[in-house]
Amino acid sequence: MKEYYTLNNDVKIPSIGFGTWQTPDGETAINSIKIAMNYGYRHIDGAAIYGNEKGVGTGIKVCGIDRKELFVTSKVWNSERGYETALKAFEKSLKDLQLDYLDLYLIHWPATANKFTNWQQINSDTWRAMEQLYNNGKIRAIGVSNFLEHHLDPLLENAEIMPSVNQIEFHPGYKQNDCVNFCRDNNIQVEGWSPLGRGKVLGNATLKEIANRYNKSVAQLCIRWAMQNNVLPLPKSITPNRIKENFEVFDFNISESDMELINEMDEFGGSGLHPDHIEF
Ligand code: A2P
């Protein structure tokens, strides 16, 4: 298993990202970043809406790892869609994170037909801001999050720069095969948010049985399973032993038949957050 994937613009991205959704700002954010970087993570996945970019930024500053060795992601929130607003949102995230560039910046959720008649225009306008920031050297790669095929199609039609990443919910109970295949065909790296189903898939009996075969935890199985499907997992934890456990996934290989068993599992433990139906 590679420690890095290479994006469609040749930028290297570490193959596990440290998730920060629901990590409280302040000491908890600072300490969890320090602990994760100490255990070997080099990739931090954040977003403005998580409300913890100041703590995450301080963690990055004091963790002792050279900035160039780290891969830092943020996302533009739904209220900041559009060209000018997205540019401003980027500057705010950069300031909070106390950084002078980002490795990856994503549109957090697509504007959709359920909410906007001009949803395609809104997404394209936001994308133009991302392209400008990329061209100005402020971001090393740009992408989207929670975009399904029908959101990506019009964006790709109007884009000058192709998205490098699409970050979607991905775990053994929620696989979004159509979207993953579409991204693969279009050379877009899929990242998986909530690779542990927010903890909800960890009690599953089938997953427990498979994990036992490798002397691994279900969390480790889920993370490795995502990687072997070429999806980049972003496990979140603020608990030191779990942070460590979630990175100890480079020393085993899930067999083809076990991959198949998980790939064929029915849906369970999904968040229920569908981009066309979210209320935020
Ligand atoms: P905590 O942060 O309190 O350690 P996901 O990444 O799928 O969103 O899941 C995150 C949730 O799963 C958090 O509630 C986190 O709790 C918990 N979690 C993370 N890693 C593990 C693990 N190895 N074992 C059990 N629970 C975990």
Side-chain angles (χ1 to χ4, degrees):
M1 179 53 65
K2 295 171 292 189
E3 288 190 14
Y4 291 88
Y5 294 116
T6 303
L7 300 176
N8 59 12
N9 64 349
D10 284 338
V11 165
K12 285 191 162 47
I13 179 168
S15 56
I16 299 179
F18 183 57
T20 60
W21 180 48
Q22 294 187 325
T23 298
D25 199 12
E27 283 306 310
T28 309
I30 297 169
N31 285 332
S32 61
I33 296 288
K34 274 166 60 181
I35 291 164
M37 299 310 120
N38 184 44
Y39 283 135
Y41 294 76
R42 290 294 178 266
H43 173 175
I44 299 156
D45 182 78
I49 194 67
Y50 301 166
N52 54 16
E53 291 200 309
K54 288 186 176 155
V56 168
T58 304
I60 290 170
K61 208 169 166 181
V62 301
C63 73
I65 308 291
D66 196 77
R67 167 69 183 98
K68 285 201 187 68
E69 301 289 313
L70 299 176
F71 191 99
V72 183
T73 300
S74 182
K75 312 183 189 84
V76 56
W77 185 240
N78 302 351
S79 53
E80 316 302 316
R81 294 181 183 120
Y83 179 72
E84 293 292 343
T85 32
L87 290 178
K88 283 200 190 112
F90 173 80
E91 288 306 328
K92 164 97 169 62
S93 280
L94 205 60
K95 188 164 169 254
D96 286 350
L97 287 163
Q98 306 151 64
L99 298 175
D100 52 16
Y101 71 93
L102 285 185
D103 295 279
L104 180 64
Y105 199 45
L106 307 176
I107 301 181
H108 208 144
W109 292 86
T112 62
N114 283 354
K115 284 219 170 131
F116 304 96
T117 48
N118 62 337
W119 61 278
Q120 303 183 356
Q121 187 63 48
I122 296 172
N123 289 332
S124 289
D125 288 347
T126 314
W127 190 248
R128 252 191 324 122
M130 315 283 280
E131 290 177 329
Q132 173 161 333
L133 292 163
Y134 178 82
N135 285 331
N136 290 348
K138 293 283 203 173
I139 319 173
R140 295 176 65 227
I142 52 178
V144 295
S145 182
N146 302 301
F147 275 56
L148 301 179
E149 305 91 282
H150 60 281
H151 309 120
L152 277 166
D153 263 330
L155 189 83
L156 297 184
E157 229 166 78
N158 292 313
E160 280 177 20
I161 300 169
M162 289 297 118
S164 291
V165 163
N166 186 16
Q167 182 180 128
I168 58 174
E169 181 174 359
F170 187 82
H171 52 75
Y174 198 66
K175 305 182 186 84
Q176 310 210 61
N177 286 331
D178 290 344
C179 184
V180 171
N181 290 334
F182 179 94
C183 290
R184 198 164 289 158
D185 292 345
N186 284 280
N187 207 8
I188 298 169
Q189 174 67 50
V190 177
E191 296 183 338
W193 60 260
S194 287
L196 316 177
R198 299 157 347 282
K200 291 211 161 55
V201 306
L202 300 179
N204 179 273
T206 306
L207 292 176
K208 275 188 187 163
E209 197 184 307
I210 299 173
N212 282 342
R213 290 207 260 281
Y214 302 92
N215 280 323
K216 288 286 179 181
S217 68
V218 174
Q220 291 169 323
L221 181 78
C222 291
I223 293 164
R224 180 75 194 188
W225 167 82
M227 292 161 83
Q228 287 185 220
N229 273 319
N230 267 318
V231 172
L232 193 159
L234 305 166
K236 173 265 175 185
S237 177
I238 53 170
T239 315
N241 64 318
R242 291 174 172 175
I243 295 174
K244 180 168 186 276
E245 175 185 326
N246 294 347
F247 203 69
E248 290 173 342
V249 294
F250 292 94
D251 58 353
F252 76 115
N253 203 40
I254 305 171
S255 70
E256 259 178 52
S257 56
D258 285 337
M259 285 298 291
E260 202 57 26
L261 271 180
I262 306 173
N263 287 341
E264 297 301 320
M265 284 174 82
D266 290 337
E267 268 192 29
F268 68 103
S271 69
L273 297 174
H274 188 286
D276 287 326
H277 305 295
I278 53 166
E279 295 297 327
F280 44 81

